[in-house]
Amino acid sequence: MQPTTTTSTRIDINAGRLWRSLMEMASIGPSPNGGSRRLALTEEDAAGRRQFRQWAEDLGCHCRLDEAGNLFVRREGRDESLAPVAFGSHLDTQPLGGRFDGVLGVLAGLEVLRSLHEHDIQTRRPLELVVWTNEEGSRFAPAMGGSGVYAGRLESTSFFEAKDADGTSLAEALETSDQRGELPLGTPRLHAYFELHIEQGPVLEQGGEPLGVVTGVQGIRWYDVRFSGQSAHAGPTPMSHRRDPLLAAADGLVAMRDEVEADPSGNARLTVGEMKVVEPSRNVIPGEINLTVDLRHVDDDRLDELEALLHRRFDTAAAKAGVSVDIERRWWSPVTPFDPDLIASLDAAARGRGMTAPHMMSGAGHDAVNVSHVAPTVMLFIPCRDGISHNEAEYAEPEHCALGAQVLCDAILDRANLD
């Protein structure tokens, strides 16, 4: 039998097989309440990768690791001189994460390869299914580290020298988990990159939409903030004599919340994910408060304005309380538009399956943001129940997972067979 080669080829993926793969991966590193716990480069993460590699090698695919532990699964094309069409996501999770965030993109990609294999179809261009290292950033900061260092957007020293809470460096974790490879960073170069993901928000579900084509990702800025005052006894110190950094932080955050909620576009986001009292004690006025701030918007100019407001509101709150404040921007990602041709390819694939998928911006960062700086890139979303993600309750309907994988498969086939 000769491999099918026409550009009009369309095949149906196996929905049941995809779901079984998702559930089998979820059994590796399960969390207490039905979610997943596979922190980057832990034994659980390595076990998940080993299972995935075995599935890929069973199809005759060639698996390679780069120096950052990014895993590339290659299926040869008819013309190996051409750059590959790539797709994928990540297998690492939050400490108490879900079963679909990242995993869906990887295992839907595996289902694409399995379907091509059983239908004896060879694409013109080679294919690369990618598992990116340390996407979540929950063990090593920053997030999206593997794709960042691959795309040259993150310095290799920052990537390899990052340490977890126990003082283990990412470089050490790569070695102990046997995930450091020999492919040079930045290789292989890609012709195009597709990423399927759960939305991680409520828009698609509320609109009754089974799919969304992602036109870009909003800008993200992370800050470390320190309010410094004077610790003192809680009883003898009058309110008028206090230099309380916690109350200053609270005043600043309320003022900043008001600014964000007043944003006319409704697209501003403010999150404080961490707040710590240094040397806390029940009956002591704190001397120092450390917190993190996450600002997001779909417009970079408005993000500039929000950053300026953050400084002004925090400075005002600090001065009122007689304390000092230091704000350091730790990481940022600009508003990232995706490739118009690849957006059109997903539109066409959805239409080919009898639907029109709405266009939307992503509120979360993804590996696709980094890859978009070195290759044409696009994303496809499916709904998740109640918009919940980064949580053990995260859930996606089997039929939505299958539909996302199907549209992904159709678009990849078309792109990989283009002249």
Side-chain angles (χ1 to χ4, degrees), residues 309-322:
L309 284 168
L310 180 72
H311 282 271
R312 288 204 294 272
R313 297 296 174 257
F314 279 17
D315 285 346
T316 298
K320 178 182 176 182

Side-chain angles (χ1 to χ4, degrees), residues 329-385:
R329 190 204 282 186
R330 285 294 306 273
W331 175 79
W332 64 96
S333 179
V335 176
T336 303
F338 287 146
D339 183 76
D341 289 341
L342 294 187
I343 292 171
S345 73
L346 287 179
D347 287 337
R351 287 195 303 271
R353 295 289 169 172
M355 68 190 65
T356 301
H359 286 188
M360 60 193 304
M361 289 284 286
S362 172
H366 299 281
D367 290 311
V369 173
N370 288 325
V371 181
S372 71
H373 289 262
V374 294
T377 296
V378 75
M379 292 190 73
L380 181 68
F381 278 170
I382 64 164
C384 53
R385 187 168 59 195

Side-chain angles (χ1 to χ4, degrees), residues 120-151:
D120 197 22
I121 291 173
Q122 185 178 31
T123 53
R124 177 171 177 260
R125 288 180 178 272
L127 303 178
E128 292 278 358
L129 173 52
V130 191
V131 179
W132 302 105
T133 301
N134 190 45
E135 192 276 346
E136 293 291 1
S138 51
R139 184 182 180 194
F140 302 102
M144 304 180 293
S147 60
V149 75
Y150 163 86

Side-chain angles (χ1 to χ4, degrees), residues 13 18 22 86-90 100-112 129-130 132 135 193-200 204 210-214 338 346 366-368 377-383 396-409 411-412:
I13 61 100
L18 170 60
L22 287 164
F87 42 99
S89 194
H90 61 97
F100 302 89
D101 174 7
V103 183
L104 173 63
V106 173
L107 297 187
L110 178 68
E111 178 55 36
V112 171
L129 173 52
V130 191
W132 302 105
E135 192 276 346
Y193 177 74
F194 295 84
E195 185 166 346
L196 172 65
H197 210 280
I198 58 171
E199 181 194 348
Q200 301 182 285
L204 289 175
L211 287 175
V213 174
V214 186
F338 287 146
L346 287 179
H366 299 281
D367 290 311
T377 296
V378 75
M379 292 190 73
L380 181 68
F381 278 170
I382 64 164
E397 298 291 343
E399 57 267 31
H400 292 156
C401 294
L403 180 59
Q406 185 65 72
V407 171
L408 178 73
C409 181
I412 288 169

Side-chain angles (χ1 to χ4, degrees), residues 218-237:
Q218 67 183 1
I220 307 170
R221 300 187 188 183
W222 286 357
Y223 308 87
D224 283 351
V225 182
R226 182 176 70 252
F227 284 88
S228 301
Q230 177 65 59
S231 61
H233 198 296
T237 311

Side-chain angles (χ1 to χ4, degrees), residues 117-363:
H117 179 75
E118 71 181 6
H119 286 87
D120 197 22
I121 291 173
Q122 185 178 31
T123 53
R124 177 171 177 260
R125 288 180 178 272
L127 303 178
E128 292 278 358
L129 173 52
V130 191
V131 179
W132 302 105
T133 301
N134 190 45
E135 192 276 346
E136 293 291 1
S138 51
R139 184 182 180 194
F140 302 102
M144 304 180 293
S147 60
V149 75
Y150 163 86
R153 301 190 69 228
L154 176 65
E155 292 289 340
S156 60
T157 52
S158 298
F159 176 78
F160 289 113
E161 294 177 4
K163 293 185 177 181
D164 66 10
D166 296 324
T168 301
S169 72
L170 193 148
E172 291 168 338
L174 280 169
E175 297 294 341
T176 56
S177 62
D178 196 27
Q179 296 301 307
R180 184 160 191 166
E182 297 181 354
L183 272 179
L185 294 176
T187 59
R189 309 309 291 177
L190 308 177
H191 171 71
Y193 177 74
F194 295 84
E195 185 166 346
L196 172 65
H197 210 280
I198 58 171
E199 181 194 348
Q200 301 182 285
V203 174
L204 289 175
E205 184 181 56
Q206 289 180 354
E209 301 285 357
L211 287 175
V213 174
V214 186
T215 58
V217 178
Q218 67 183 1
I220 307 170
R221 300 187 188 183
W222 286 357
Y223 308 87
D224 283 351
V225 182
R226 182 176 70 252
F227 284 88
S228 301
Q230 177 65 59
S231 61
H233 198 296
T237 311
M239 298 301 290
S240 60
H241 284 68
R242 298 185 179 207
R243 295 171 52 208
D244 189 333
L246 180 55
L247 294 183
D251 283 348
L253 287 171
V254 169
M256 194 62 200
R257 179 204 62 189
D258 293 344
E259 295 284 1
V260 167
E261 289 184 345
D263 183 80
S265 72
N267 289 318
R269 304 286 187 270
L270 168 72
T271 303
V272 176
E274 298 179 34
M275 178 179 279
K276 298 178 181 178
V277 176
V278 177
E279 300 297 340
S281 177
R282 182 183 296 270
N283 62 344
V284 175
I285 301 162
E288 183 176 313
I289 302 295
N290 295 324
L291 60 137
T292 64
V293 174
D294 179 313
L295 282 178
R296 304 188 185 209
H297 205 281
V298 299
D299 182 274
D300 279 323
D301 290 338
R302 180 57 177 153
L303 265 178
D304 288 339
E305 295 172 357
L306 290 171
E307 181 173 302
L309 284 168
L310 180 72
H311 282 271
R312 288 204 294 272
R313 297 296 174 257
F314 279 17
D315 285 346
T316 298
K320 178 182 176 182
V323 305
S324 63
V325 62
D326 178 70
I327 303 172
E328 178 186 1
R329 190 204 282 186
R330 285 294 306 273
W331 175 79
W332 64 96
S333 179
V335 176
T336 303
F338 287 146
D339 183 76
D341 289 341
L342 294 187
I343 292 171
S345 73
L346 287 179
D347 287 337
R351 287 195 303 271
R353 295 289 169 172
M355 68 190 65
T356 301
H359 286 188
M360 60 193 304
M361 289 284 286
S362 172

